[in-house]
Amino acid sequence: IRGGNFVFDRQELLVASNDPVQLTWAGHTGRADGVEVKLGAIRGGQKPVGLPVGPVRAVRLMRNVELELALPVQGAGENPSVAAANWRIDCDGPLAVDPVRLVAEFFNNVTVKRPTVLDQWDTLECQQLGLRFRRKPDPVKAKPGDRSGRESMEFVQLVAAGTPVSVGSVARDLEARSRRVVYQAETGTVELRGDVVARWKQGKLNCQHASLA
């Protein structure tokens, strides 16, 4: 996390700034106005001296959040320009990141753009968005007994909520709305749940549950 004018609160184990900040997290990058970093308690019962120390337990990017996710694209082998593009997520904020559970949650006017073909995107709009990751050890860098071995993360699941959640695809001429959307990265499947309305070309669908591959 890079920024300026940070305030250190030893009693609360909190590092905060109201200035613009930049975030880098396992290859993903972002920016926001303001940040709060919650530190873990000091081990061993030692009395704190100087600046607070301890592991990072939570990060909150406060306002006007922009994040780029370096994620693999389904079927990108056919189009190198798509494979090089990143997912883009914007929200009014906050964005809460839990580096322990590997969960990121976006709030208020969230927009997700996923690259498909050149200059076209699949889009999702909602009020609350959750991303779940899992650790993926790097067999090259991570060696037995070497604590410096770096772990990478892989994207597992996206969950969007709000009334309604909107999904759109220019390439597929598709628009859909529902109360909840769940995207599974491994299968590339989108689950629409609750009051689903979908329109594509000349077709229309109304139901309570739909799956898009």
Side-chain angles (χ1 to χ4, degrees):
I1 299 172
R2 294 180 177 271
N5 295 318
F6 286 94
V7 175
F8 299 86
D9 188 322
R10 180 189 296 134
Q11 183 175 357
E12 298 294 332
L13 287 177
L14 185 70
V15 183
S17 173
N18 287 321
D19 284 14
V21 295
Q22 290 79 44
L23 169 72
T24 301
W25 186 32
H28 313 301
T29 60
R31 67 155 307 280
D33 294 331
V35 66
E36 292 181 352
V37 180
K38 183 68 175 179
L39 303 178
I42 301 173
R43 295 180 180 179
Q46 298 178 354
K47 184 177 180 180
V49 178
L51 298 178
V53 297
V56 174
R57 294 302 185 192
V59 176
R60 284 173 62 89
L61 300 181
M62 306 308 294
R63 302 172 302 280
N64 303 322
V65 179
E66 300 174 6
L67 187 69
E68 287 200 5
L69 298 180
L71 301 177
V73 179
Q74 295 286 339
E78 301 176 1
N79 192 331
S81 65
V82 176
N86 293 333
W87 289 39
R88 299 177 183 175
I89 303 179
D90 300 335
C91 71
D92 291 347
L95 160 59
V97 177
D98 186 330
V100 179
R101 296 189 300 120
L102 298 184
V103 173
E105 294 181 293
F106 301 76
F107 298 91
N108 301 320
N109 299 323
V110 185
T111 301
V112 182
K113 292 185 177 181
R114 171 185 180 271
T116 54
V117 295
L118 188 61
D119 296 329
Q120 292 186 349
W121 302 78
D122 289 344
T123 60
L124 181 147
E125 296 179 356
C126 61
Q127 291 300 313
Q128 182 175 348
L129 176 73
L131 304 181
R132 184 164 62 88
F133 300 83
R134 63 186 172 197
R135 290 181 174 85
K136 183 180 180 182
D138 189 328
V140 176
K141 297 181 180 180
K143 298 178 181 180
D146 182 9
R147 291 184 175 271
S148 65
R150 181 181 177 183
E151 286 185 324
S152 60
M153 297 189 309
E154 60 181 355
F155 175 49
V156 176
Q157 185 185 65
L158 174 153
V159 179
T163 307
V165 179
S166 299
V167 177
S169 174
V170 175
R172 301 286 181 249
D173 191 18
L174 169 70
E175 293 183 0
R177 305 175 79 179
S178 65
R179 291 183 177 273
R180 185 179 176 87
V181 169
V182 178
Y183 173 78
Q184 303 291 350
E186 186 173 359
T187 59
T189 303
V190 178
E191 299 285 339
L192 305 174
R193 303 174 182 175
D195 298 333
V196 179
V197 178
R199 297 180 177 86
W200 67 98
K201 297 181 180 179
Q202 302 301 317
K204 182 177 179 179
L205 174 69
N206 289 271
C207 63
Q208 289 300 313
H209 179 260
S211 177
L212 308 179

